[in-house]
Amino acid sequence: ETGVTQSPTHLIKTRGQQVTLRCSSQSGHNTVSWYQQALGQGPQFIFQYYREEENGRGNFPPRFSGLQFPNYSSELNVNALELDDSALYLCASSLRGGGAFQETQYFGPGTRLLVL
Amino acid sequence: AQSVTQLDSQVPVFEEAPVELRCNYSSSVSVYLFWYVQYPNQGLQLLLKYLSGSTLVKGINGFEAEFNKSQTSFHLRKPSVHISDTAEYFCAVRYNFNKFYFGSGTKLNVKP
């Protein structure tokens, strides 16, 4: 069984730039969720993708967008980067439709983004 | 609004002592509850989960948690901690299939 992987591991951008983060879901999972974890805080839900469509969104502006591909991998795109976007971005995958015991989220190691 | 509160931001404890990390949530509907652990510069690892059934849930590394519906709590316990348990612990609540809320975390510092 392959776990959740994310790339890149670290990234440095400047304010105003755009960034794309990538996530490969765990084998057999069909749902991907993205979280932002600022330093010293708990993860904050950004959005979730299921069947290649956004399916639930947290309190994040539209410049945070995403994609899910037919193989269930996913991208998180952030436009017009701001200094406060500096954080650890976590991807989690789960299996929707496998019953409650299947819908547990498994997390990747994260991408640490620094905006200067 | 739904929320998750971890009452202690830091918990220092000596090795082999028992520990309890507290978590309370606000909800008027059924929830699923989770504890995750995060080691420095790593992602989150699932410790245990409560989905239904017995209110006492056992997880990995000797941790257990008890779901208390009347007190809306899901406290994490371990009878004897080890140095390797030093990490940050997050309580999380899932209210439906696409709403997952985390607490602010508790840093467990196990001293020799």
Side-chain angles (χ1 to χ4, degrees):
Chain A
E1 186 176 88
T2 305
V4 180
T5 60
Q6 293 186 242
S7 63
T9 56
H10 295 81
L11 204 52
I12 300 175
K13 292 285 187 178
T14 56
R15 193 170 49 182
Q17 284 188 312
Q18 178 265 343
V19 68
T20 297
L21 310 181
R22 295 177 175 83
C23 171
S24 292
S25 60
Q26 183 168 310
S27 170
H29 286 181
N30 58 14
T31 303
V32 174
S33 302
W34 285 92
Y35 294 84
Q36 180 194 68
Q37 186 179 16
L39 198 61
Q41 297 182 23
Q44 299 291 315
F45 175 68
I46 302 175
F47 45 55
Q48 183 182 84
Y49 275 81
Y50 172 62
R51 290 187 175 178
E52 302 178 47
E53 291 189 359
E54 187 179 294
N55 179 56
R57 189 178 186 93
N59 189 26
F60 281 82
R63 60 189 184 85
F64 285 79
S65 63
L67 286 173
Q68 186 182 32
F69 301 98
N71 67 353
Y72 305 122
S73 65
S74 176
E75 288 182 354
L76 164 66
N77 299 290
V78 186
N79 293 321
L81 283 167
E82 300 177 359
L83 298 180
D84 285 348
D85 295 333
S86 295
L88 179 67
Y89 288 85
L90 295 165
C91 164
S93 75
S94 57
L95 175 62
R96 172 101 46 93
F101 281 87
Q102 297 294 331
E103 294 193 40
T104 296
Q105 297 194 346
Y106 293 89
F107 286 79
T111 293
R112 191 164 295 282
L113 173 65
L114 177 60
V115 182
L116 301 176
Chain B
Q2 317 291 12
S3 69
V4 182
T5 302
Q6 291 185 243
L7 297 167
D8 305 297
S9 60
Q10 297 195 45
V11 173
V13 63
F14 287 105
E15 194 173 17
E16 298 183 3
V19 71
E20 178 180 82
L21 307 183
R22 297 180 291 171
C23 173
N24 286 86
Y25 64 94
S26 64
S27 176
S28 58
V29 299
S30 297
V31 298
Y32 299 138
L33 298 156
F34 305 81
W35 275 98
Y36 286 86
V37 60
Q38 187 175 39
Y39 297 100
N41 300 314
Q42 294 188 26
L44 300 175
Q45 179 183 1
L46 180 67
L47 271 180
L48 49 78
K49 59 189 175 186
Y50 171 79
L51 302 179
S52 66
S54 172
T55 57
L56 183 62
V57 180
K58 293 189 183 299
I60 63 171
N61 301 340
F63 284 94
E64 63 180 32
E66 186 159 17
F67 169 56
N68 188 319
K69 187 175 181 180
S70 63
Q71 297 186 7
T72 59
S73 68
F74 190 55
H75 300 334
L76 180 70
R77 302 185 183 100
K78 186 169 183 178
S80 176
V81 295
H82 191 267
I83 295 287
S84 60
D85 293 323
T86 295
E88 190 158 19
Y89 292 79
F90 291 93
C91 178
V93 178
R94 181 163 73 85
Y95 291 97
N96 56 41
F97 60 85
N98 64 355
K99 296 292 186 184
F100 221 84
Y101 295 87
F102 282 83
S104 55
T106 297
K107 292 182 179 177
L108 177 64
N109 183 17
V110 181
K111 304 177 181 180

